[in-house]
Amino acid sequence: SLDNRTHLKVSIAEGRNRIVRRMMDHVGHPVVNLVRISHGPFRLGRLKAGDVKRLSEREYLFYRRRIMAEQIKERKPRKKVDKHYEED
């Protein structure tokens, strides 16, 4: 049917409060419905609002390692500070 709607799939790396709605508002595109399909490495699948999926120990360890590896990869190298200097 021609319902005069546009369906968009938007992917963002860092979710800030209402960022998708603000982006769409900025370009004059009203948001009627917004659905989150994943959060970090987790696909939400059929979880309903308010539902919780308990991870097995194996799943927990897998995702913990994955998240930690991504955080280490994203870390910017620190500048080395020379602690050996002469004072006047």
Side-chain angles (χ1 to χ4, degrees):
S1 76
L2 299 174
D3 58 8
N4 204 19
R5 294 184 190 182
T6 302
H7 297 263
L8 299 173
K9 183 175 182 178
V10 178
S11 179
I12 56 174
E14 182 177 327
R16 299 204 184 260
N17 190 27
R18 302 178 59 80
I19 192 167
V20 173
R21 291 184 187 277
R22 288 182 184 148
M23 288 187 316
M24 294 298 109
D25 185 51
H26 184 74
V27 296
H29 195 350
V31 175
V32 176
N33 188 25
L34 187 60
V35 178
R36 181 188 303 263
I37 59 172
S38 66
H39 185 83
F42 302 103
R43 304 264 319 151
L44 300 181
R46 295 183 179 173
L47 280 179
K48 294 183 175 98
D51 283 355
V52 176
K53 179 192 184 308
R54 185 173 286 289
L55 299 177
S56 69
E57 184 174 352
R58 184 177 178 189
E59 289 172 313
Y60 168 77
L61 292 173
F62 171 79
Y63 286 118
R64 184 172 188 271
R65 280 192 294 270
R66 184 172 168 186
I67 291 167
M68 296 298 284
E70 287 174 10
Q71 288 176 347
I72 290 169
K73 199 183 330 177
E74 292 173 356
R75 227 180 259 160
K76 294 180 182 175
R78 293 183 180 175
K79 292 182 182 177
K80 290 185 179 182
V81 176
D82 187 4
K83 292 182 181 179
H84 304 286
Y85 61 90
E86 294 181 23
E87 292 185 24
D88 291 332

